[in-house]
Amino acid sequence: MHLAFTGILTTRRSDAALAAKRAGAIVHGGPSAQTTVVVRGRPNALQAAGRDAGRKLMAIKHLREKGHRISLLSEATFWRLVGSKGKA
């Protein structure tokens, strides 16, 4: 699985990336044609583009329009799948 994170996470992004790698994922800085999963943290209220229009979310939309299958996971679902934050 190729994974990227977007939004504000409840833990350090480096800790989340390490947990994802331990679970077998390849972590990218942003979505690309290789991305299969994006973990979405809390939206950034200061984002000028609005709640659902951040740069990474727009990239996902464009990739999906081109036929790429990308799943969005909440941060809570991500932690359930890789194990608790304490085990990361």
Side-chain angles (χ1 to χ4, degrees), residues 15-69:
D15 292 340
L18 180 60
K21 288 176 185 176
R22 286 182 178 162
I26 298 169
V27 179
H28 299 274
S32 71
Q34 292 181 315
T35 304
T36 55
V37 174
V38 173
V39 176
R40 185 175 185 186
R42 190 170 34 95
N44 183 346
L46 301 177
Q47 192 166 280
R51 180 178 174 89
D52 293 321
R55 182 183 56 80
K56 291 178 183 176
L57 295 176
M58 295 299 287
I60 293 166
K61 180 181 175 186
H62 293 302
L63 288 166
R64 283 178 165 174
E65 288 170 354
K66 292 179 180 180
H68 297 282
R69 296 181 66 176

mmCIF file of all heavy atoms in Angstrom, residues 15-69:
data_model
loop_
_atom_site.group_PDB
_atom_site.id
_atom_site.type_symbol
_atom_site.label_atom_id
_atom_site.label_comp_id
_atom_site.label_asym_id
_atom_site.label_seq_id
_atom_site.Cartn_x
_atom_site.Cartn_y
_atom_site.Cartn_z
ATOM 1 N N ASP A 15 5.642 9.931 13.735
ATOM 2 C CA ASP A 15 5.209 8.736 14.471
ATOM 3 C C ASP A 15 4.172 7.954 13.675
ATOM 4 O O ASP A 15 4.202 6.725 13.633
ATOM 5 C CB ASP A 15 4.642 9.114 15.837
ATOM 6 C CG ASP A 15 5.707 9.648 16.784
ATOM 7 O OD1 ASP A 15 6.903 9.385 16.548
ATOM 8 O OD2 ASP A 15 5.333 10.327 17.759
ATOM 9 N N ALA A 16 3.249 8.668 13.035
ATOM 10 C CA ALA A 16 2.242 8.007 12.213
ATOM 11 C C ALA A 16 2.897 7.329 11.006
ATOM 12 O O ALA A 16 2.540 6.199 10.655
ATOM 13 C CB ALA A 16 1.193 9.018 11.756
ATOM 14 N N ALA A 17 3.872 7.999 10.394
ATOM 15 C CA ALA A 17 4.569 7.409 9.248
ATOM 16 C C ALA A 17 5.325 6.153 9.667
ATOM 17 O O ALA A 17 5.326 5.144 8.949
ATOM 18 C CB ALA A 17 5.521 8.434 8.625
ATOM 19 N N LEU A 18 5.954 6.184 10.829
ATOM 20 C CA LEU A 18 6.678 5.020 11.329
ATOM 21 C C LEU A 18 5.723 3.853 11.562
ATOM 22 O O LEU A 18 6.010 2.708 11.186
ATOM 23 C CB LEU A 18 7.424 5.363 12.621
ATOM 24 C CG LEU A 18 8.232 4.233 13.246
ATOM 25 C CD1 LEU A 18 9.305 3.728 12.282
ATOM 26 C CD2 LEU A 18 8.877 4.709 14.542
ATOM 27 N N ALA A 19 4.558 4.128 12.147
ATOM 28 C CA ALA A 19 3.553 3.077 12.373
ATOM 29 C C ALA A 19 3.078 2.499 11.044
ATOM 30 O O ALA A 19 2.909 1.283 10.908
ATOM 31 C CB ALA A 19 2.379 3.639 13.169
ATOM 32 N N ALA A 20 2.882 3.348 10.054
ATOM 33 C CA ALA A 20 2.449 2.879 8.731
ATOM 34 C C ALA A 20 3.522 2.003 8.095
ATOM 35 O O ALA A 20 3.219 0.947 7.531
ATOM 36 C CB ALA A 20 2.135 4.076 7.837
ATOM 37 N N LYS A 21 4.780 2.418 8.209
ATOM 38 C CA LYS A 21 5.881 1.629 7.634
ATOM 39 C C LYS A 21 6.001 0.277 8.333
ATOM 40 O O LYS A 21 6.221 -0.738 7.679
ATOM 41 C CB LYS A 21 7.192 2.399 7.739
ATOM 42 C CG LYS A 21 7.261 3.577 6.785
ATOM 43 C CD LYS A 21 8.532 4.372 6.984
ATOM 44 C CE LYS A 21 8.524 5.616 6.120
ATOM 45 N NZ LYS A 21 9.708 6.460 6.358
ATOM 46 N N ARG A 22 5.835 0.271 9.636
ATOM 47 C CA ARG A 22 5.880 -0.995 10.384
ATOM 48 C C ARG A 22 4.762 -1.933 9.953
ATOM 49 O O ARG A 22 4.904 -3.148 10.024
ATOM 50 C CB ARG A 22 5.794 -0.733 11.882
ATOM 51 C CG ARG A 22 7.070 -0.181 12.450
ATOM 52 C CD ARG A 22 6.942 0.014 13.937
ATOM 53 N NE ARG A 22 8.190 0.513 14.496
ATOM 54 C CZ ARG A 22 8.291 1.091 15.666
ATOM 55 N NH1 ARG A 22 7.218 1.247 16.435
ATOM 56 N NH2 ARG A 22 9.447 1.514 16.104
ATOM 57 N N ALA A 23 3.643 -1.362 9.505
ATOM 58 C CA ALA A 23 2.507 -2.168 9.036
ATOM 59 C C ALA A 23 2.669 -2.571 7.573
ATOM 60 O O ALA A 23 1.817 -3.250 7.026
ATOM 61 C CB ALA A 23 1.212 -1.389 9.236
ATOM 62 N N GLY A 24 3.771 -2.130 6.948
ATOM 63 C CA GLY A 24 4.063 -2.545 5.578
ATOM 64 C C GLY A 24 3.770 -1.527 4.494
ATOM 65 O O GLY A 24 3.917 -1.827 3.308
ATOM 66 N N ALA A 25 3.359 -0.338 4.867
ATOM 67 C CA ALA A 25 3.039 0.686 3.872
ATOM 68 C C ALA A 25 4.286 1.419 3.413
ATOM 69 O O ALA A 25 5.279 1.509 4.139
ATOM 70 C CB ALA A 25 2.042 1.690 4.447
ATOM 71 N N ILE A 26 4.214 1.967 2.222
ATOM 72 C CA ILE A 26 5.227 2.881 1.703
ATOM 73 C C ILE A 26 4.616 4.271 1.852
ATOM 74 O O ILE A 26 3.525 4.535 1.338
ATOM 75 C CB ILE A 26 5.560 2.572 0.234
ATOM 76 C CG1 ILE A 26 6.143 1.173 0.130
ATOM 77 C CG2 ILE A 26 6.506 3.630 -0.335
ATOM 78 C CD1 ILE A 26 6.265 0.659 -1.293
ATOM 79 N N VAL A 27 5.288 5.152 2.584
ATOM 80 C CA VAL A 27 4.736 6.463 2.909
ATOM 81 C C VAL A 27 5.308 7.523 1.982
ATOM 82 O O VAL A 27 6.520 7.600 1.769
ATOM 83 C CB VAL A 27 5.023 6.821 4.388
ATOM 84 C CG1 VAL A 27 4.461 8.192 4.730
ATOM 85 C CG2 VAL A 27 4.438 5.754 5.312
ATOM 86 N N HIS A 28 4.404 8.346 1.436
ATOM 87 C CA HIS A 28 4.776 9.449 0.546
ATOM 88 C C HIS A 28 4.400 10.774 1.195
ATOM 89 O O HIS A 28 3.501 10.831 2.029
ATOM 90 C CB HIS A 28 4.032 9.331 -0.786
ATOM 91 C CG HIS A 28 4.341 8.071 -1.528
ATOM 92 N ND1 HIS A 28 5.413 7.953 -2.371
ATOM 93 C CD2 HIS A 28 3.722 6.870 -1.553
ATOM 94 C CE1 HIS A 28 5.437 6.742 -2.891
ATOM 95 N NE2 HIS A 28 4.421 6.053 -2.400
ATOM 96 N N GLY A 29 5.048 11.831 0.765
ATOM 97 C CA GLY A 29 4.748 13.165 1.280
ATOM 98 C C GLY A 29 3.424 13.716 0.797
ATOM 99 O O GLY A 29 2.848 14.598 1.407
ATOM 100 N N GLY A 30 2.952 13.214 -0.320
ATOM 101 C CA GLY A 30 1.688 13.678 -0.872
ATOM 102 C C GLY A 30 1.154 12.655 -1.851
ATOM 103 O O GLY A 30 1.853 11.719 -2.235
ATOM 104 N N PRO A 31 -0.093 12.823 -2.268
ATOM 105 C CA PRO A 31 -0.696 11.862 -3.181
ATOM 106 C C PRO A 31 -0.055 11.895 -4.564
ATOM 107 O O PRO A 31 0.360 12.947 -5.040
ATOM 108 C CB PRO A 31 -2.163 12.287 -3.250
ATOM 109 C CG PRO A 31 -2.269 13.593 -2.586
ATOM 110 C CD PRO A 31 -1.016 13.858 -1.848
ATOM 111 N N SER A 32 0.016 10.725 -5.174
ATOM 112 C CA SER A 32 0.539 10.588 -6.532
ATOM 113 C C SER A 32 -0.212 9.449 -7.204
ATOM 114 O O SER A 32 -1.092 8.839 -6.600
ATOM 115 C CB SER A 32 2.037 10.284 -6.503
ATOM 116 O OG SER A 32 2.253 8.966 -6.037
ATOM 117 N N ALA A 33 0.157 9.139 -8.423
ATOM 118 C CA ALA A 33 -0.492 8.040 -9.146
ATOM 119 C C ALA A 33 -0.282 6.708 -8.435
ATOM 120 O O ALA A 33 -1.054 5.780 -8.636
ATOM 121 C CB ALA A 33 0.038 7.976 -10.576
ATOM 122 N N GLN A 34 0.734 6.599 -7.588
ATOM 123 C CA GLN A 34 1.001 5.364 -6.844
ATOM 124 C C GLN A 34 0.176 5.248 -5.568
ATOM 125 O O GLN A 34 0.024 4.169 -5.017
ATOM 126 C CB GLN A 34 2.477 5.278 -6.461
ATOM 127 C CG GLN A 34 3.416 5.099 -7.624
ATOM 128 C CD GLN A 34 4.847 5.001 -7.134
ATOM 129 O OE1 GLN A 34 5.266 5.780 -6.280
ATOM 130 N NE2 GLN A 34 5.571 4.039 -7.660
ATOM 131 N N THR A 35 -0.353 6.351 -5.084
ATOM 132 C CA THR A 35 -1.062 6.375 -3.805
ATOM 133 C C THR A 35 -2.316 5.513 -3.848
ATOM 134 O O THR A 35 -3.098 5.595 -4.790
ATOM 135 C CB THR A 35 -1.451 7.824 -3.437
ATOM 136 O OG1 THR A 35 -0.272 8.633 -3.429
ATOM 137 C CG2 THR A 35 -2.104 7.890 -2.067
ATOM 138 N N THR A 36 -2.490 4.692 -2.814
ATOM 139 C CA THR A 36 -3.703 3.880 -2.697
ATOM 140 C C THR A 36 -4.545 4.289 -1.490
ATOM 141 O O THR A 36 -5.742 4.048 -1.474
ATOM 142 C CB THR A 36 -3.357 2.382 -2.594
ATOM 143 O OG1 THR A 36 -2.444 2.182 -1.511
ATOM 144 C CG2 THR A 36 -2.742 1.872 -3.883
ATOM 145 N N VAL A 37 -3.910 4.906 -0.485
ATOM 146 C CA VAL A 37 -4.623 5.311 0.731
ATOM 147 C C VAL A 37 -4.120 6.676 1.197
ATOM 148 O O VAL A 37 -2.918 6.925 1.208
ATOM 149 C CB VAL A 37 -4.413 4.285 1.877
ATOM 150 C CG1 VAL A 37 -5.026 4.771 3.173
ATOM 151 C CG2 VAL A 37 -4.960 2.929 1.500
ATOM 152 N N VAL A 38 -5.052 7.531 1.597
ATOM 153 C CA VAL A 38 -4.696 8.808 2.223
ATOM 154 C C VAL A 38 -5.382 8.847 3.578
ATOM 155 O O VAL A 38 -6.585 8.612 3.688
ATOM 156 C CB VAL A 38 -5.125 10.015 1.368
ATOM 157 C CG1 VAL A 38 -4.893 11.321 2.115
ATOM 158 C CG2 VAL A 38 -4.368 10.029 0.050
ATOM 159 N N VAL A 39 -4.596 9.116 4.603
ATOM 160 C CA VAL A 39 -5.117 9.256 5.964
ATOM 161 C C VAL A 39 -5.392 10.740 6.178
ATOM 162 O O VAL A 39 -4.504 11.579 6.039
ATOM 163 C CB VAL A 39 -4.107 8.733 7.013
ATOM 164 C CG1 VAL A 39 -4.636 8.976 8.419
ATOM 165 C CG2 VAL A 39 -3.817 7.265 6.774
ATOM 166 N N ARG A 40 -6.640 11.019 6.514
ATOM 167 C CA ARG A 40 -7.055 12.412 6.660
ATOM 168 C C ARG A 40 -7.200 12.781 8.122
ATOM 169 O O ARG A 40 -8.021 12.232 8.849
ATOM 170 C CB ARG A 40 -8.382 12.629 5.946
ATOM 171 C CG ARG A 40 -8.802 14.064 5.952
ATOM 172 C CD ARG A 40 -10.045 14.259 5.136
ATOM 173 N NE ARG A 40 -10.332 15.686 5.083
ATOM 174 C CZ ARG A 40 -11.406 16.197 4.545
ATOM 175 N NH1 ARG A 40 -12.296 15.395 3.996
ATOM 176 N NH2 ARG A 40 -11.608 17.485 4.538
ATOM 177 N N GLY A 41 -6.360 13.726 8.542
ATOM 178 C CA GLY A 41 -6.472 14.273 9.891
ATOM 179 C C GLY A 41 -7.503 15.391 9.899
ATOM 180 O O GLY A 41 -8.257 15.586 8.948
ATOM 181 N N ARG A 42 -7.501 16.149 10.958
ATOM 182 C CA ARG A 42 -8.426 17.274 11.111
ATOM 183 C C ARG A 42 -8.091 18.358 10.090
ATOM 184 O O ARG A 42 -6.926 18.669 9.871
ATOM 185 C CB ARG A 42 -8.265 17.812 12.535
ATOM 186 C CG ARG A 42 -9.275 18.820 12.979
ATOM 187 C CD ARG A 42 -9.135 19.082 14.478
ATOM 188 N NE ARG A 42 -7.766 18.998 14.969
ATOM 189 C CZ ARG A 42 -6.958 20.052 15.119
ATOM 190 N NH1 ARG A 42 -7.359 21.259 14.848
ATOM 191 N NH2 ARG A 42 -5.728 19.884 15.569
ATOM 192 N N PRO A 43 -9.108 18.951 9.441
ATOM 193 C CA PRO A 43 -8.834 20.035 8.485
ATOM 194 C C PRO A 43 -8.175 21.222 9.177
ATOM 195 O O PRO A 43 -8.409 21.473 10.355
ATOM 196 C CB PRO A 43 -10.212 20.425 7.964
ATOM 197 C CG PRO A 43 -11.106 19.296 8.303
ATOM 198 C CD PRO A 43 -10.526 18.641 9.526
ATOM 199 N N ASN A 44 -7.371 21.944 8.441
ATOM 200 C CA ASN A 44 -6.719 23.139 8.949
ATOM 201 C C ASN A 44 -7.668 24.316 8.789
ATOM 202 O O ASN A 44 -7.983 24.725 7.673
ATOM 203 C CB ASN A 44 -5.413 23.381 8.174
ATOM 204 C CG ASN A 44 -4.641 24.557 8.692
ATOM 205 O OD1 ASN A 44 -5.156 25.368 9.457
ATOM 206 N ND2 ASN A 44 -3.395 24.662 8.281
ATOM 207 N N ALA A 45 -8.136 24.875 9.889
ATOM 208 C CA ALA A 45 -9.106 25.973 9.850
ATOM 209 C C ALA A 45 -8.547 27.215 9.172
ATOM 210 O O ALA A 45 -9.297 28.055 8.685
ATOM 211 C CB ALA A 45 -9.552 26.314 11.273
ATOM 212 N N LEU A 46 -7.227 27.344 9.110
ATOM 213 C CA LEU A 46 -6.603 28.517 8.501
ATOM 214 C C LEU A 46 -6.426 28.371 6.989
ATOM 215 O O LEU A 46 -5.962 29.289 6.329
ATOM 216 C CB LEU A 46 -5.239 28.780 9.149
ATOM 217 C CG LEU A 46 -5.279 29.033 10.653
ATOM 218 C CD1 LEU A 46 -3.867 29.201 11.189
ATOM 219 C CD2 LEU A 46 -6.132 30.240 10.973
ATOM 220 N N GLN A 47 -6.811 27.243 6.458
ATOM 221 C CA GLN A 47 -6.626 26.957 5.041
ATOM 222 C C GLN A 47 -7.541 27.860 4.207
ATOM 223 O O GLN A 47 -8.754 27.843 4.361
ATOM 224 C CB GLN A 47 -6.973 25.489 4.806
ATOM 225 C CG GLN A 47 -6.592 24.954 3.485
ATOM 226 C CD GLN A 47 -6.672 23.455 3.549
ATOM 227 O OE1 GLN A 47 -5.768 22.816 4.055
ATOM 228 N NE2 GLN A 47 -7.752 22.908 3.072
ATOM 229 N N ALA A 48 -6.971 28.624 3.317
ATOM 230 C CA ALA A 48 -7.741 29.569 2.507
ATOM 231 C C ALA A 48 -8.699 28.867 1.556
ATOM 232 O O ALA A 48 -9.756 29.394 1.224
ATOM 233 C CB ALA A 48 -6.790 30.468 1.719
ATOM 234 N N ALA A 49 -8.365 27.655 1.120
ATOM 235 C CA ALA A 49 -9.184 26.948 0.134
ATOM 236 C C ALA A 49 -10.453 26.365 0.728
ATOM 237 O O ALA A 49 -11.321 25.905 0.000
ATOM 238 C CB ALA A 49 -8.359 25.839 -0.508
ATOM 239 N N GLY A 50 -10.583 26.342 2.034
ATOM 240 C CA GLY A 50 -11.785 25.800 2.658
ATOM 241 C C GLY A 50 -11.585 24.396 3.180
ATOM 242 O O GLY A 50 -10.590 23.740 2.917
ATOM 243 N N ARG A 51 -12.579 23.902 3.882
ATOM 244 C CA ARG A 51 -12.520 22.635 4.599
ATOM 245 C C ARG A 51 -12.229 21.434 3.700
ATOM 246 O O ARG A 51 -11.527 20.523 4.076
ATOM 247 C CB ARG A 51 -13.837 22.442 5.331
ATOM 248 C CG ARG A 51 -13.941 21.182 6.111
ATOM 249 C CD ARG A 51 -15.284 21.112 6.838
ATOM 250 N NE ARG A 51 -15.448 19.837 7.474
ATOM 251 C CZ ARG A 51 -15.049 19.557 8.705
ATOM 252 N NH1 ARG A 51 -14.462 20.471 9.428
ATOM 253 N NH2 ARG A 51 -15.234 18.353 9.208
ATOM 254 N N ASP A 52 -12.788 21.392 2.506
ATOM 255 C CA ASP A 52 -12.639 20.227 1.635
ATOM 256 C C ASP A 52 -11.807 20.501 0.390
ATOM 257 O O ASP A 52 -11.912 19.774 -0.590
ATOM 258 C CB ASP A 52 -14.016 19.710 1.214
ATOM 259 C CG ASP A 52 -14.780 19.139 2.392
ATOM 260 O OD1 ASP A 52 -14.144 18.482 3.232
ATOM 261 O OD2 ASP A 52 -15.993 19.356 2.477
ATOM 262 N N ALA A 53 -10.973 21.519 0.424
ATOM 263 C CA ALA A 53 -10.266 21.883 -0.800
ATOM 264 C C ALA A 53 -8.778 22.129 -0.594
ATOM 265 O O ALA A 53 -8.195 22.951 -1.262
ATOM 266 C CB ALA A 53 -10.918 23.116 -1.412
ATOM 267 N N GLY A 54 -8.161 21.403 0.321
ATOM 268 C CA GLY A 54 -6.723 21.532 0.500
ATOM 269 C C GLY A 54 -5.972 20.990 -0.712
ATOM 270 O O GLY A 54 -6.537 20.282 -1.550
ATOM 271 N N ARG A 55 -4.720 21.329 -0.823
ATOM 272 C CA ARG A 55 -3.905 20.928 -1.973
ATOM 273 C C ARG A 55 -3.911 19.417 -2.169
ATOM 274 O O ARG A 55 -4.113 18.917 -3.277
ATOM 275 C CB ARG A 55 -2.469 21.435 -1.779
ATOM 276 C CG ARG A 55 -1.548 21.106 -2.931
ATOM 277 C CD ARG A 55 -0.128 21.573 -2.656
ATOM 278 N NE ARG A 55 0.443 21.047 -1.430
ATOM 279 C CZ ARG A 55 0.968 19.822 -1.314
ATOM 280 N NH1 ARG A 55 0.984 19.008 -2.315
ATOM 281 N NH2 ARG A 55 1.469 19.416 -0.160
ATOM 282 N N LYS A 56 -3.725 18.672 -1.108
ATOM 283 C CA LYS A 56 -3.682 17.213 -1.228
ATOM 284 C C LYS A 56 -5.058 16.640 -1.578
ATOM 285 O O LYS A 56 -5.160 15.712 -2.379
ATOM 286 C CB LYS A 56 -3.135 16.576 0.048
ATOM 287 C CG LYS A 56 -1.661 16.865 0.251
ATOM 288 C CD LYS A 56 -1.159 16.260 1.535
ATOM 289 C CE LYS A 56 0.296 16.618 1.766
ATOM 290 N NZ LYS A 56 0.768 16.125 3.061
ATOM 291 N N LEU A 57 -6.115 17.198 -0.995
ATOM 292 C CA LEU A 57 -7.454 16.707 -1.314
ATOM 293 C C LEU A 57 -7.821 17.011 -2.764
ATOM 294 O O LEU A 57 -8.475 16.199 -3.431
ATOM 295 C CB LEU A 57 -8.486 17.301 -0.355
ATOM 296 C CG LEU A 57 -8.341 16.873 1.104
ATOM 297 C CD1 LEU A 57 -9.363 17.592 1.972
ATOM 298 C CD2 LEU A 57 -8.493 15.369 1.231
ATOM 299 N N MET A 58 -7.372 18.154 -3.268
ATOM 300 C CA MET A 58 -7.609 18.479 -4.680
ATOM 301 C C MET A 58 -6.832 17.516 -5.578
ATOM 302 O O MET A 58 -7.341 17.065 -6.614
ATOM 303 C CB MET A 58 -7.212 19.932 -4.970
ATOM 304 C CG MET A 58 -8.073 20.951 -4.240
ATOM 305 S SD MET A 58 -9.815 20.878 -4.681
ATOM 306 C CE MET A 58 -9.752 21.574 -6.301
ATOM 307 N N ALA A 59 -5.616 17.172 -5.178
ATOM 308 C CA ALA A 59 -4.808 16.219 -5.960
ATOM 309 C C ALA A 59 -5.496 14.856 -6.004
ATOM 310 O O ALA A 59 -5.541 14.206 -7.055
ATOM 311 C CB ALA A 59 -3.408 16.093 -5.368
ATOM 312 N N ILE A 60 -6.061 14.431 -4.874
ATOM 313 C CA ILE A 60 -6.774 13.158 -4.823
ATOM 314 C C ILE A 60 -7.970 13.187 -5.775
ATOM 315 O O ILE A 60 -8.214 12.239 -6.524
ATOM 316 C CB ILE A 60 -7.243 12.851 -3.385
ATOM 317 C CG1 ILE A 60 -6.048 12.611 -2.481
ATOM 318 C CG2 ILE A 60 -8.197 11.661 -3.356
ATOM 319 C CD1 ILE A 60 -6.390 12.647 -1.010
ATOM 320 N N LYS A 61 -8.705 14.279 -5.753
ATOM 321 C CA LYS A 61 -9.869 14.421 -6.629
ATOM 322 C C LYS A 61 -9.458 14.280 -8.094
ATOM 323 O O LYS A 61 -10.103 13.557 -8.863
ATOM 324 C CB LYS A 61 -10.546 15.772 -6.385
ATOM 325 C CG LYS A 61 -11.752 16.010 -7.239
ATOM 326 C CD LYS A 61 -12.360 17.363 -6.976
ATOM 327 C CE LYS A 61 -13.511 17.607 -7.946
ATOM 328 N NZ LYS A 61 -14.031 18.956 -7.830
ATOM 329 N N HIS A 62 -8.387 14.950 -8.486
ATOM 330 C CA HIS A 62 -7.913 14.880 -9.876
ATOM 331 C C HIS A 62 -7.439 13.473 -10.231
ATOM 332 O O HIS A 62 -7.714 12.982 -11.329
ATOM 333 C CB HIS A 62 -6.818 15.906 -10.131
ATOM 334 C CG HIS A 62 -7.291 17.324 -10.075
ATOM 335 N ND1 HIS A 62 -8.299 17.815 -10.882
ATOM 336 C CD2 HIS A 62 -6.917 18.355 -9.287
ATOM 337 C CE1 HIS A 62 -8.514 19.093 -10.595
ATOM 338 N NE2 HIS A 62 -7.688 19.447 -9.630
ATOM 339 N N LEU A 63 -6.738 12.830 -9.318
ATOM 340 C CA LEU A 63 -6.282 11.463 -9.580
ATOM 341 C C LEU A 63 -7.463 10.511 -9.722
ATOM 342 O O LEU A 63 -7.467 9.632 -10.593
ATOM 343 C CB LEU A 63 -5.340 11.000 -8.460
ATOM 344 C CG LEU A 63 -3.963 11.652 -8.459
ATOM 345 C CD1 LEU A 63 -3.255 11.395 -7.131
ATOM 346 C CD2 LEU A 63 -3.131 11.138 -9.623
ATOM 347 N N ARG A 64 -8.462 10.676 -8.873
ATOM 348 C CA ARG A 64 -9.662 9.833 -8.967
ATOM 349 C C ARG A 64 -10.373 10.047 -10.300
ATOM 350 O O ARG A 64 -10.879 9.109 -10.906
ATOM 351 C CB ARG A 64 -10.610 10.111 -7.812
ATOM 352 C CG ARG A 64 -10.179 9.490 -6.508
ATOM 353 C CD ARG A 64 -11.145 9.868 -5.406
ATOM 354 N NE ARG A 64 -10.986 9.032 -4.230
ATOM 355 C CZ ARG A 64 -11.640 9.249 -3.108
ATOM 356 N NH1 ARG A 64 -12.486 10.264 -3.005
ATOM 357 N NH2 ARG A 64 -11.452 8.452 -2.071
ATOM 358 N N GLU A 65 -10.430 11.305 -10.752
ATOM 359 C CA GLU A 65 -11.070 11.608 -12.032
ATOM 360 C C GLU A 65 -10.348 10.916 -13.189
ATOM 361 O O GLU A 65 -10.959 10.611 -14.211
ATOM 362 C CB GLU A 65 -11.118 13.119 -12.268
ATOM 363 C CG GLU A 65 -12.119 13.832 -11.373
ATOM 364 C CD GLU A 65 -12.009 15.343 -11.420
ATOM 365 O OE1 GLU A 65 -11.068 15.874 -12.076
ATOM 366 O OE2 GLU A 65 -12.861 16.014 -10.800
ATOM 367 N N LYS A 66 -9.060 10.668 -13.024
ATOM 368 C CA LYS A 66 -8.266 9.984 -14.048
ATOM 369 C C LYS A 66 -8.342 8.464 -13.909
ATOM 370 O O LYS A 66 -7.681 7.739 -14.642
ATOM 371 C CB LYS A 66 -6.809 10.429 -13.974
ATOM 372 C CG LYS A 66 -6.597 11.868 -14.370
ATOM 373 C CD LYS A 66 -5.133 12.239 -14.257
ATOM 374 C CE LYS A 66 -4.924 13.687 -14.653
ATOM 375 N NZ LYS A 66 -3.508 14.067 -14.552
ATOM 376 N N GLY A 67 -9.126 7.982 -12.921
ATOM 377 C CA GLY A 67 -9.319 6.557 -12.763
ATOM 378 C C GLY A 67 -8.501 5.883 -11.675
ATOM 379 O O GLY A 67 -8.594 4.671 -11.499
ATOM 380 N N HIS A 68 -7.712 6.630 -10.935
ATOM 381 C CA HIS A 68 -6.924 6.045 -9.849
ATOM 382 C C HIS A 68 -7.835 5.771 -8.659
ATOM 383 O O HIS A 68 -8.681 6.585 -8.311
ATOM 384 C CB HIS A 68 -5.783 6.977 -9.430
ATOM 385 C CG HIS A 68 -4.795 7.213 -10.516
ATOM 386 N ND1 HIS A 68 -3.826 6.292 -10.847
ATOM 387 C CD2 HIS A 68 -4.626 8.257 -11.357
ATOM 388 C CE1 HIS A 68 -3.104 6.761 -11.840
ATOM 389 N NE2 HIS A 68 -3.573 7.957 -12.176
ATOM 390 N N ARG A 69 -7.639 4.624 -8.044
ATOM 391 C CA ARG A 69 -8.432 4.250 -6.876
ATOM 392 C C ARG A 69 -7.663 4.627 -5.619
ATOM 393 O O ARG A 69 -6.621 4.037 -5.330
ATOM 394 C CB ARG A 69 -8.735 2.769 -6.902
ATOM 395 C CG ARG A 69 -9.606 2.395 -8.097
ATOM 396 C CD ARG A 69 -9.930 0.952 -8.104
ATOM 397 N NE ARG A 69 -10.770 0.673 -6.931
ATOM 398 C CZ ARG A 69 -11.301 -0.497 -6.679
ATOM 399 N NH1 ARG A 69 -11.079 -1.515 -7.468
ATOM 400 N NH2 ARG A 69 -12.049 -0.675 -5.603
#
